[in-house]
Amino acid sequence: MFRPVILTNVKPGQRAYEEEFFGPVAIILEAKDADDAIRLANDSRFGLGGSVWTRDVRRGEELARRVEAGAVFVNSMVKSSPEMPFGGVKKSGYGRELSHLGIREFVNQKSIWVAKETKPEARKKVE
């Protein structure tokens, strides 16, 4: 079992900045403004999920659209739900699981095209 950890003063080039963490680890990065925060969020090889926290929900939605991640939550923690597709982008995965979109990742779909005959003499006799 790991105790929760908060890492501050993390800089590019450090392992904590470059790796994808799972577990009770929070990394605090300081941004100058919203644009810098988006730059920091997207300066990653990974993109599973993220959160935007704000009093201005409309602005939060605008910022969430700019975050390169499979899911971005405004004023909520990242979570999965059976009703929503879940999965990452970049090196955080390919495709989605859950929801009606996710089930398509696990099936093979086959297309069959049958052209209509234009002339009866074009038919071949099969024996």
Side-chain angles (χ1 to χ4, degrees), residues 6-8 17-18 21 23-24 26 33-34 39 41 45 47 51 54 63 65 77 85-86 95 98 102 109 111 118 122:
I6 298 173
L7 302 175
T8 60
Y17 187 92
E18 307 293 336
F21 278 93
D33 55 25
R39 182 192 63 76
R45 297 176 294 147
S51 295
T54 179
L63 293 171
R65 291 184 207 300
M77 300 293 289
F86 187 79
L98 305 176
Q109 296 183 7
S111 298
T118 56

Side-chain angles (χ1 to χ4, degrees), residues 34-48:
D35 288 332
D36 192 40
I38 297 297
R39 182 192 63 76
L40 287 169
N42 292 338
D43 185 29
S44 174
R45 297 176 294 147
F46 305 103
L48 184 56

Side-chain angles (χ1 to χ4, degrees), residues 47-48 70 85-90 92-98 101-102 104-106:
L48 184 56
F86 187 79
V89 297
K90 302 180 186 181
S92 287
Y94 177 80
R96 297 291 176 266
E97 61 185 39
L98 305 176
L101 298 173
R104 292 182 182 167
E105 298 289 337
F106 301 98

Side-chain angles (χ1 to χ4, degrees), residues 33-93:
D33 55 25
D35 288 332
D36 192 40
I38 297 297
R39 182 192 63 76
L40 287 169
N42 292 338
D43 185 29
S44 174
R45 297 176 294 147
F46 305 103
L48 184 56
S51 295
V52 174
W53 296 85
T54 179
R55 289 186 182 104
D56 183 346
V57 175
R58 175 184 266 150
R59 177 77 169 132
E61 289 181 57
E62 291 171 9
L63 293 171
R65 291 184 207 300
R66 295 173 52 197
V67 175
E68 297 167 359
V72 182
F73 291 74
V74 178
N75 295 335
S76 183
M77 300 293 289
V78 175
K79 57 188 166 237
S80 63
S81 170
E83 297 85 18
M84 288 180 52
F86 187 79
V89 297
K90 302 180 186 181
K91 296 232 178 217
S92 287

